[in-house]
Amino acid sequence: MADLFQSTALKDGKRIVIKIGSALLVDAINGKIHRSWLESLASDIAAARARGQEIVIVTSGAIAVGRRHLDLPQGSLRLEEKQAAAACGNIRLAHAYQEVLGHHQISVAQILVTLEDSENRRRYINARNTIETLLRVGAVPLINENDTVATDEIRFGDNDRLAARVAAMISADTLVLFSDIDGLYTADPSKDPAAEFIPVVRQITPEIEAMAGGSASNVGSGGMTTKIAAAKISLNAGCRMVITRGERTNPLDALENGEKATWFLPEATPMNARKKWISGGLKSMGEVIVDAGAIKALQEGRSLLPIGVKKIIGEFVRGEAVSVKGPDGAEVGRGLIAYGSEDAKKIVGLKSTEIKDALGYIGRDEMIHRDHLVVE
């Protein structure tokens, strides 16, 4: 039954984020990339894309690769040495991913981000739009921490949480954490022979958090603690998450065929979780007054177009939450607006074909897209 669930969970995934730990990707002795393993993963990704799934990769390993090429000393590195190693390693990692995926005619696009980028509203929107665009044109986004500037992230090694933030950002439905551990146990199995494996988690309780242990690898820096933190983010975003040992060749295929793993299952879907966040988790920064025709269209599940807008009230930036109100001032919904208030005011009442002339650039057809709108 568990094997059938894993197969179904992966095959049903529409948008999958895969996080790859350093220990899987980089040889601990010589700092070389495990090329044959990476090639097998590329084959898995090509197979997933062939059945219509979108794939995003969050990768570790830049420091582990770069330090050897720069002949940096063994053991702990100073912060500036880690930053230099990351700068060197990122080039080699991106090149390796492009080569193995290029054999399957798949383009790779690198994005370097920090946790702060997922917390700053404007950066969040820019990152989301970039990833969405890459997926739309058929590329595989390759995401890593910007370790040359993200000093806190280097100290704590938090690509697990970063992967979860990315999954939440783009409304992914599945997050796969490939690591050097095969899942969650009631205690550290390397220290406690009575530790029991937990195949499914539906809620992150204090007891679950207490089970977190350390990393089994001397290459990676994230352990079970960061994975539980990632699970919290994923479940809140309606995204299922799985932790599994990824050292086998063709690790995605192995997971699909019953590789031992712990699944964290949310109560809501990504879309439902996002709608809940928009309606109740964000402060409205302005108002969009619409006509009766627009209200009817919104109630039918359509997006809000500028032609149905009568007035813009308040000052806000692109991507912030605004209240959508009818002519009588009653709120009919809330959404994330695609324009800042200054530009929004310029296109009030216009047809989509008139937006470019009014703004001087090609903007979005929708003032608020239906995916970013909650109608009461």
Side-chain angles (χ1 to χ4, degrees), residues 337-367:
I337 193 160
Y339 293 93
S341 54
E342 184 176 344
D343 284 350
K345 292 173 183 176
K346 294 178 182 178
I347 61 174
V348 165
L350 298 185
K351 297 178 181 178
S352 297
T353 55
E354 300 172 322
I355 293 176
K356 181 180 178 181
D357 289 339
L359 299 180
Y361 65 87
I362 301 175
R364 294 178 178 270
D365 290 344
E366 309 89 357
M367 183 83 78

Side-chain angles (χ1 to χ4, degrees), residues 178-259:
F178 282 132
S179 188
D180 53 1
I181 48 182
D182 55 16
L184 178 66
Y185 290 78
T186 55
D188 186 343
S190 65
K191 299 177 181 178
D192 185 352
E196 297 180 7
F197 179 74
I198 302 175
V200 176
V201 175
R202 299 183 182 277
Q203 187 176 7
I204 306 300
T205 63
E207 291 75 20
I208 292 294
E209 291 183 292
M211 296 173 188
S215 172
S217 167
N218 61 356
V219 179
S221 52
M224 188 57 73
T225 300
T226 62
K227 290 172 176 55
I228 294 301
K232 275 187 172 181
I233 297 168
S234 296
L235 295 187
N236 286 337
C239 176
R240 58 182 172 244
M241 189 188 95
V242 59
I243 301 171
T244 188
R245 193 186 301 275
E247 60 194 9
R248 285 182 51 176
T249 56
N250 299 102
L252 205 59
D253 181 69
L255 178 62
E256 186 176 306
N257 286 285
E259 185 76 0

Side-chain angles (χ1 to χ4, degrees), residues 17 19 58 60 113-116 118-119 143 145 152-169 175 177 222-234 241:
V17 176
K19 185 269 179 178
V58 176
S60 300
V113 300
T114 69
L115 281 175
E116 184 181 5
S118 69
E119 295 168 349
I143 300 171
E145 289 175 334
D152 287 340
E153 285 83 351
I154 288 179
R155 289 193 182 102
F156 297 108
D158 210 359
N159 266 3
D160 293 323
R161 191 155 59 106
L162 178 62
R165 290 284 182 87
V166 169
M169 178 189 296
L175 170 59
L177 299 187
M224 188 57 73
T225 300
T226 62
K227 290 172 176 55
I228 294 301
K232 275 187 172 181
I233 297 168
S234 296
M241 189 188 95

